[in-house]
Amino acid sequence: MLIWLQDSALGTWVAESIWGYPIVLACHAVGMAVVAGTVVMLNLRVLGFACNVPIAFFDKLSVITWAGLVLNVLTGLALFSGDPVKFYYHPVFRIKISLVALGVVSIWLVLREIRGTAGRPGGTLVAPIRTKMMAGFSLMFWFCAIIAGRLIAYIEHINGV
């Protein structure tokens, strides 16, 4: 299946076209900036920064976060198709994907916790310690996922294939 993906039109375009890889990577970076930016803002707000910003704002902003995540999934699959054998067997790639999955779950949990406060006047929130811990873990997961994504390019993995 990996060879089929690599030989597909998308895989060939990403791997061999002069513009394929740079275009997809640029779109992936935009999606990452959107996700990371909104996730950091939300989590810092839950941790107590910018308390004058209504928490209801972040519930509305989450639509942008999920749109950025969809863009990253699509562009990530396109990047993967350019060299699927390398990525599939690369341990840092697996760590990155695990961290992204943990980040998605953690931000979903944080958003679920704050949704109940959106209807309050002013939408203020002093988060319980459990929600603050989720926000802290969310920041850690996303930060580490970004680092792992960059390390893939710098850590060679010999897969024996």
Side-chain angles (χ1 to χ4, degrees):
M1 186 170 130
L2 295 175
I3 299 301
W4 172 84
L5 183 59
Q6 184 171 313
D7 292 339
S8 70
L10 179 61
T12 302
W13 180 70
V14 169
E16 296 176 10
S17 160
I18 191 168
W19 291 106
Y21 183 80
I23 288 171
V24 175
L25 186 62
C27 292
H28 196 66
V30 168
M32 180 177 48
V34 168
V35 172
T38 57
V39 162
V40 167
M41 285 189 293
L42 168 63
N43 287 319
L44 288 179
R45 172 61 181 89
V46 169
L47 289 171
F49 294 93
C51 291
N52 57 338
V53 177
I55 201 70
F57 170 76
F58 293 101
D59 192 31
K60 294 174 186 171
L61 188 66
S62 70
V63 173
I64 296 171
T65 305
W66 297 122
L69 184 64
V70 168
L71 177 62
N72 264 15
V73 168
L74 294 175
T75 57
L77 289 171
L79 290 170
F80 181 82
S81 73
D83 198 353
V85 174
K86 171 190 167 188
F87 291 122
Y88 182 79
Y89 291 104
H90 202 299
V92 179
F93 176 76
R94 291 176 180 216
I95 290 168
K96 174 195 171 181
I97 296 304
S98 299
L99 288 164
V100 168
L102 289 168
V104 168
V105 170
S106 67
I107 202 63
W108 178 77
L109 290 171
V110 169
L111 284 166
R112 189 180 72 170
E113 289 289 320
I114 68 165
R115 285 224 165 88
T117 66
R120 294 184 193 159
T124 59
L125 169 72
V126 175
I129 190 71
R130 180 185 77 204
T131 308
K132 287 182 176 185
M133 287 180 62
M134 282 190 277
F137 277 111
S138 178
L139 283 171
M140 181 189 67
F141 293 145
W142 287 108
F143 181 73
C144 291
I146 291 169
I147 291 172
R150 288 307 311 137
L151 287 177
I152 292 168
Y154 299 107
I155 296 176
E156 287 194 37
H157 175 68
I158 299 171
N159 59 27
V161 176

